[in-house]
Amino acid sequence: MKCKFGIVSIMLAGIALTATAQTKEKYYSEKFKDNIFISAGVGAQACVNPDNFDYGFGHAITPLIHVSVGKLFNPIWGVRGQVAGLWSTLYSEHGQIKGAYAEIKNKKYFTLHADAMYNLSNSIGGYNPDRLFTLSVFAGPGLTFAKTYGDQDKLNALINGSVGLMGQFNVNRYLDVNIEARGEVFPSMFGSKSNAYTDGAVSLTAGVTYTFGGKKFISCGAKVDQDAINAEINRYRSELAQAQADLANAKNALANVKPVTKEVVKEVEVAGPRAIFFKIGSARIDDYGMVNIQLAAKILKANPDKKYKVAGYADKATGSASWNQKLSEKRAQGVYDALIKEGVSKDQLELVGFGGTANLFGKNYLNRVVILE
């Protein structure tokens, strides 16, 4: 009987372990320093101002440069800060007759942008590190700094808002070539005395992006072969049915044996180490884990003089040390409470959480576990 219960325990633990696999593949940056990038670009900007339109749209086009620093949290979402600017051409009217005389002002300025970035290609088509081209959208607030028209000593800081599109050509895991288009609106940049209270700008630039250490995203789940899982579960069920049949035959054989008086040494079954596995970031015990706990509780109650340790662990490769410590303690507490609920005496149990210490097993998902021994 001891051997048969051991087989059942191993099979149930295997089913619980298989069930923890993720059905949808997701990615994230494992460490904060991962996927930090810097980019630079050059191009042209067109100032959209009624004063400038009077002299033709082409007169409003000026050079533009920008430098950005940012981080990708996953293949879809990221943030960046950008410094952009150079100069903008402003026309102003003089004289009573419109167009009688125009004064041209080349005004220097710079703008700070804070952009949230959303990768449309990875969101719709899934993350593919070998994809040649991706398209992203970005939007955010900013501040434009420029001296007031007619007053060379007064510096204005004007709030703006902008949206844009960015196409990226993947050269390798470190380098991308960018094409970026942005549209923005802000209060009249130079305080012109015309009727233009609001300025706008559209820009088109090309540049490069360098990712420090290369783009690195960690999968927190893998796609599962459902047929393979079903075949494994069916194998466990077949072995369990055979074990139950062997146990019934043994009981029948014992019932037909004539009693013989002899000295009997009673063999007491003691629970060996048992493992209850958890999903990433979770302390919830699933149905397979509860079956394992219920089997262990029967043996613990049958041996009230034995003491056991309920030890919680976390995946060292995921999360901070403090988070892993709390998570391991929460997992151990959950198993402890489940055993008490099944009737095990709390005097038999010792509760401990080891956090994300040195991994027990070779794969990360095997270390999200509570060991009862």
Side-chain angles (χ1 to χ4, degrees):
M1 290 177 64
K2 183 176 181 180
C3 177
K4 299 303 180 183
F5 275 114
I7 293 174
V8 172
S9 175
I10 293 172
M11 290 189 294
L12 291 173
I15 294 173
L17 175 60
T18 305
T20 61
Q22 303 293 320
T23 59
K24 186 177 181 181
E25 198 166 14
K26 297 181 180 179
Y27 295 86
Y28 66 98
S29 294
E30 183 179 19
K31 300 177 182 178
F32 182 80
K33 67 178 182 179
D34 291 343
N35 302 305
I36 293 176
F37 63 85
I38 184 170
S39 63
V42 297
Q45 174 175 279
C47 183
V48 183
N49 182 296
D51 292 336
N52 290 359
F53 275 126
D54 291 340
Y55 297 93
F57 183 75
H59 293 287
I61 298 177
T62 54
L64 177 70
I65 61 175
H66 62 73
V67 177
S68 307
V69 177
K71 173 178 172 59
L72 300 176
F73 300 105
N74 55 50
I76 299 176
W77 286 103
V79 294
R80 71 176 180 182
Q82 185 182 88
V83 180
L86 203 54
W87 74 77
S88 182
T89 299
L90 177 70
Y91 289 81
S92 61
E93 299 287 354
H94 290 268
Q96 295 180 352
I97 301 175
K98 183 176 181 180
Y101 175 70
E103 182 181 5
I104 302 174
K105 293 287 186 179
N106 288 327
K107 304 287 288 185
K108 295 181 180 179
Y109 75 98
F110 70 93
T111 299
L112 303 178
H113 294 293
D115 295 327
M117 301 183 297
Y118 185 81
N119 192 303
L120 294 172
S121 300
N122 289 336
S123 175
I124 298 172
Y127 174 56
N128 179 2
D130 298 321
R131 183 177 285 122
L132 177 61
F133 177 81
T134 60
L135 181 66
S136 301
V137 295
F138 59 86
L143 283 175
T144 298
F145 296 87
K147 290 184 178 179
T148 304
Y149 175 79
D151 186 349
Q152 298 299 321
D153 297 324
K154 185 179 180 181
L155 185 67
N156 284 340
L158 307 172
I159 298 175
N160 68 60
S162 64
V163 296
L165 286 172
M166 180 172 62
Q168 289 184 286
F169 292 91
N170 179 22
V171 179
N172 54 45
R173 62 190 296 255
Y174 297 92
L175 193 65
D176 295 292
V177 175
N178 308 327
I179 298 176
E180 183 173 322
R182 182 191 294 269
E184 56 188 309
V185 177
F186 40 79
S188 185
M189 186 187 298
F190 306 116
S192 173
K193 296 181 180 179
S194 70
N195 293 325
Y197 296 104
T198 301
D199 285 342
V202 292
S203 62
L204 182 64
T205 57
V208 294
T209 296
Y210 178 80
T211 302
F212 296 96
K215 293 183 281 289
K216 293 186 290 187
F217 295 108
I218 303 300
S219 172
C220 61
K223 295 181 179 179
V224 175
D225 186 343
Q226 194 64 43
D227 291 337
I229 292 178
N230 291 335
E232 191 73 5
I233 292 176
N234 289 334
R235 184 174 67 85
Y236 288 138
R237 287 173 176 168
S238 177
E239 293 181 5
L240 178 59
Q242 184 61 49
Q244 290 173 334
D246 292 343
L247 181 59
N249 292 334
K251 287 182 177 179
N252 290 333
L254 288 174
N256 295 325
V257 172
K258 295 180 179 180
V260 177
T261 303
K262 63 177 181 179
E263 183 179 359
V264 176
V265 177
K266 183 179 180 181
E267 183 178 13
V268 178
E269 184 177 8
V270 179
R274 292 174 183 270
I276 296 89
F277 295 91
F278 296 83
K279 293 183 178 180
I280 185 170
S282 172
R284 189 182 72 84
I285 303 171
D286 59 21
D287 293 339
Y288 301 104
M290 282 305 304
V291 171
N292 217 4
I293 289 173
Q294 290 167 356
L295 290 174
K298 291 180 181 180
I299 300 176
L300 266 63
K301 289 187 290 185
N303 296 272
D305 59 330
K306 302 293 183 181
K307 293 186 178 295
Y308 297 85
K309 180 184 292 184
V310 182
Y313 295 86
D315 170 18
K316 184 179 180 182
T318 304
S320 64
S322 60
W323 166 255
N324 285 335
Q325 181 62 38
K326 292 178 181 178
L327 183 57
S328 68
E329 293 173 357
K330 190 175 180 180
R331 287 169 173 169
Q333 185 69 52
V335 174
Y336 176 94
D337 293 341
L339 288 169
I340 297 299
K341 189 176 180 180
E342 291 296 324
V344 177
S345 171
K346 64 180 180 180
D347 294 333
Q348 286 186 262
L349 303 175
E350 177 186 357
L351 185 65
V352 61
F354 287 105
T357 56
N359 288 339
L360 298 174
F361 307 105
K363 296 184 181 297
N364 290 334
Y365 59 82
L366 295 178
N367 297 297
R368 304 163 195 148
V369 66
V370 169
I371 303 297
L372 175 64
E373 59 181 350

